[in-house]
Amino acid sequence: MSRQIVRSFLTATAINMLAVFLAHGQESAYPQFRPVPTTRPMMKRLIEDMKLRKPRIPLPLNTPEQEAELGERAKSYESQLRYHYLGNGTGSYSGSRTPGKNPSSPARRAEDPESTLSYPFKVQLFWIVSRTNNCQYCIGHQESKLLAAGIPEDTIAAMDCDWSMFTEKERAAFAFARKYTLRPDELGRSDIENLKQFYSDSQILEMCLSMGWNNAINRWKEGIGVPQSADEGGYSRLVRDYLRDQKPMPEDLKQLPVGTYLTDTPNKFSTSPSIVASIDPNAEQGNELNRPRSVRPQLESQDEVAKVLASLMQREPALQLMDVETTRERLQLKADDPVANWMRLLCRFPVEGVERARKLLEVDQYDELSPQLRSQIAWIVARQDRAWYALATAKRDLTREGLSQSQIATLDGEWKEFSDKERALFVLASNLASSPVVLTDEQVDNAVAAAGPGCVVQTIDYVTQLAAFDRITEAAQLPFESSLD
């Protein structure tokens, strides 16, 4: 079976199944949002529906020279977005990739020598993160990865609806993944201590790094509005593995569903509500679609914020930090460059952690975001996440930009004194931070109109990195390095 024939079959199957869904589907009550599906059958329908999603960010027409430079990337909305607005493909998710050890992951990042968690387990955590965030694009891709890695539908369905079949160790990780994603404002030392019953300090940090950027990817996909891949779903990844490696396909694989997410759900799970998705407890029972929501509480007063920030230098880290000299060497810092505690944390992983740290240091890539605007956005996102280490960092940077305490305090308000551009970007950043799917099409449109597509894409990319930074540093309970006085 040739690659072209299989690809045509996958696409045709997806289109046919989607037509059936649309013919029998219901009109969404939430046209501005991606509704939260309660059950797996409805979740699969919405993932399939994502194949017709309209991207949120307008793209310029490519010149012939740009078409030639882009090559195959010219067919990809995301690649073009990065090319035009993030510096020819840079951004949070660019970087070197090498073939992975797992055959279902042909383009994983280079293996970090400190990594000990298995690939399927980390994909399970990515699935939990994505289901919690209602990122239907990412849910679909993780399902295909899990099936390709040998994890059956029954197990995936149980991850969504019933954790009793999993070990206590697995349940602890799943619960942490959900809280880490949904309620970073509630993360504390006890969460790490609970995990230490089952996982090493290094494994917990590996989870935090992985899930931090899972949260980032969810926000990128939702922020820019990426359509679901037309040929994805079911065992499509496994089929592509066989085609890539030019191996004969087993007969039983030819009978499995490919190219569609509308696969059968085991009867025992077909009506079971998700225990992972963020569903309003006051929603009507039996509803298969729910309105997305943010569960963050009202912001604290400035006096309360000041008290917490004043105590940060005395906080003890919950996870071990790398020594200063090794950190400096791994990041290739100069002798007089400051070494922050977040750098020491990430640099415990000499490949993955160092790469992520370098991305966080490359803030100058955002040429349409001034240093002050970046710091303002960092403050707003950290306030949503109650990421106190990140908030202290943002306050220090804002003070260096010349802002007074009263000016910084206005960032917690309604932003009436700011320009249309600033307000639109602040709304985008705040909503994308609190829950990626409460950001509406209209809010993105307003930001594009007020600030331009390039500035919006750079803001979205920056918020994704902040989402990871906030969760990693707060889970680790990092102390701040200097006084804020």
Side-chain angles (χ1 to χ4, degrees):
M1 188 183 301
S2 71
R3 182 187 300 268
Q4 185 175 3
I5 292 173
V6 171
R7 184 176 293 157
S8 299
F9 172 72
L10 297 180
T11 304
T13 302
I15 291 172
N16 291 337
M17 294 301 289
L18 181 57
V20 171
F21 163 58
L22 293 177
H24 295 87
Q26 61 191 85
E27 183 178 351
S28 173
Y30 316 115
Q32 283 283 330
F33 301 91
R34 295 297 306 176
V36 180
T38 305
T39 64
R40 281 190 62 71
M42 180 56 73
M43 183 194 76
K44 292 175 181 180
R45 288 185 177 185
L46 291 185
I47 296 173
E48 190 71 19
D49 178 44
M50 286 276 285
K51 293 177 179 179
L52 297 183
R53 184 181 200 175
K54 180 183 176 182
R56 282 174 160 174
I57 310 295
L59 289 167
L61 290 175
N62 294 322
T63 65
E65 292 77 15
Q66 289 171 333
E67 282 286 326
E69 186 176 356
L70 279 163
E72 283 294 309
R73 292 183 296 158
K75 299 176 183 178
S76 165
Y77 165 62
E78 284 187 89
S79 294
Q80 289 195 74
L81 210 67
R82 292 193 183 100
Y83 175 85
H84 287 291
Y85 303 132
L86 289 176
N88 196 20
T90 62
S92 298
Y93 319 113
S94 63
S96 60
R97 288 186 175 268
T98 59
K101 295 177 181 177
N102 190 292
S104 64
S105 179
R108 292 175 62 199
R109 292 183 180 276
E111 291 290 331
D112 195 299
E114 294 297 320
S115 296
T116 59
L117 299 176
S118 74
Y119 168 75
F121 176 65
K122 288 167 82 168
V123 177
Q124 286 180 299
L125 295 181
F126 197 169
W127 188 95
I128 296 283
V129 168
S130 301
R131 186 70 162 110
T132 304
N133 276 330
N134 194 38
C135 179
Q136 291 158 24
Y137 178 97
C138 292
I139 297 169
H141 279 251
Q142 305 324 304
E143 295 232 343
S144 294
K145 290 180 189 176
L146 290 170
L147 290 171
I151 295 179
E153 163 68 24
D154 273 26
T155 302
I156 302 173
M159 284 168 52
D160 198 14
C161 308
D162 181 6
W163 290 355
S164 62
M165 68 166 284
F166 297 99
T167 65
E168 186 180 2
K169 178 178 180 178
E170 290 169 320
R171 292 197 300 271
F174 292 172
F176 179 70
R178 188 175 188 273
K179 183 175 183 179
Y180 186 85
T181 298
L182 187 65
R183 299 305 303 263
D185 56 302
E186 292 185 347
L187 287 174
R189 190 173 302 277
S190 60
D191 297 300
I192 300 299
E193 293 304 319
N194 181 57
L195 282 178
K196 286 182 178 179
Q197 300 177 66
F198 310 103
Y199 300 95
S200 69
D201 189 281
S202 182
Q203 287 175 324
I204 295 170
L205 178 55
E206 185 178 353
M207 278 188 229
C208 289
L209 291 176
S210 180
M211 295 190 304
W213 268 274
N214 296 160
N215 270 279
I217 293 170
N218 287 171
R219 283 165 172 79
W220 170 257
K221 301 292 185 181
E222 280 299 318
I224 65 172
V226 182
Q228 188 59 262
S229 305
D231 60 353
E232 274 287 358
Y235 289 84
S236 55
R237 297 241 170 174
L238 195 54
V239 168
R240 286 201 295 272
D241 286 347
Y242 278 97
L243 290 173
R244 184 196 67 239
D245 298 336
Q246 298 182 334
K247 294 179 179 179
M249 201 177 303
E251 287 299 319
D252 59 345
L253 177 56
K254 294 178 183 179
Q255 310 306 315
L256 295 173
V258 291
T260 177
Y261 290 103
L262 297 177
T263 58
D264 291 336
T265 299
N267 287 335
K268 62 181 178 180
F269 294 118
S270 61
T271 60
S272 301
S274 173
I275 60 173
V276 179
S278 177
I279 299 170
D280 187 346
N282 298 316
E284 186 178 342
Q285 290 293 321
N287 242 6
E288 285 198 89
L289 293 176
N290 290 264
R291 183 184 180 90
R293 65 195 182 111
S294 171
V295 294
R296 306 295 170 80
Q298 292 292 316
L299 297 180
E300 301 83 0
S301 70
Q302 288 299 310
D303 286 343
E304 291 174 291
V305 169
K307 289 178 183 177
V308 176
L309 294 183
S311 68
L312 279 190
M313 289 183 66
Q314 284 72 50
R315 191 160 71 166
E316 289 292 324
L319 296 172
Q320 297 173 11
L321 307 182
M322 179 56 68
D323 65 85
V324 172
E325 287 310 310
T326 303
T327 301
R328 191 186 303 279
E329 179 182 339
R330 288 182 174 177
L331 289 178
Q332 299 178 337
L333 300 176
K334 298 176 183 176
D336 56 348
D337 285 338
V339 176
N341 284 335
W342 70 264
M343 300 177 194
R344 295 177 60 194
L345 181 69
L346 267 60
C347 282
R348 284 183 53 193
F349 282 76
V351 177
E352 180 76 4
V354 168
E355 180 183 345
R356 297 304 189 184
R358 285 176 178 159
K359 289 295 179 187
L360 289 166
L361 290 169
E362 291 172 0
V363 292
D364 289 340
Q365 69 177 301
Y366 302 118
D367 56 351
E368 296 203 35
L369 302 179
S370 68
Q372 180 171 305
L373 183 55
R374 288 198 302 264
S375 299
Q376 289 170 321
I377 291 171
W379 173 278
I380 289 168
V381 173
R383 287 290 279 128
Q384 281 293 330
D385 292 338
R386 272 57 171 196
W388 301 108
Y389 177 90
L391 194 70
T393 303
K395 181 176 181 179
R396 180 199 62 202
D397 294 342
L398 288 166
T399 302
R400 289 175 178 174
E401 289 294 324
L403 273 67
S404 65
Q405 180 56 49
S406 60
Q407 289 174 313
I408 295 173
T410 62
L411 293 170
D412 286 356
E414 299 179 358
W415 308 314
K416 292 179 180 178
E417 60 273 46
F418 292 91
S419 68
D420 290 345
K421 171 183 174 179
E422 290 167 327
R423 282 198 302 275
L425 293 177
F426 292 169
V427 168
L428 184 153
S430 178
N431 284 354
L432 191 58
S434 65
S435 175
V437 291
V438 300
L439 178 66
T440 67
D441 293 341
E442 182 180 12
Q443 289 164 350
V444 176
D445 290 344
N446 290 342
V448 170
C455 189
V456 170
V457 172
Q458 291 184 16
T459 299
I460 290 171
D461 188 70
Y462 187 40
V463 172
T464 68
Q465 296 206 56
L466 294 171
F469 183 82
D470 288 0
R471 285 167 173 77
I472 294 166
T473 55
E474 205 53 36
Q477 296 284 287
L478 288 187
F480 196 56
E481 301 85 10
S482 58
S483 173
L484 288 169
D485 297 332

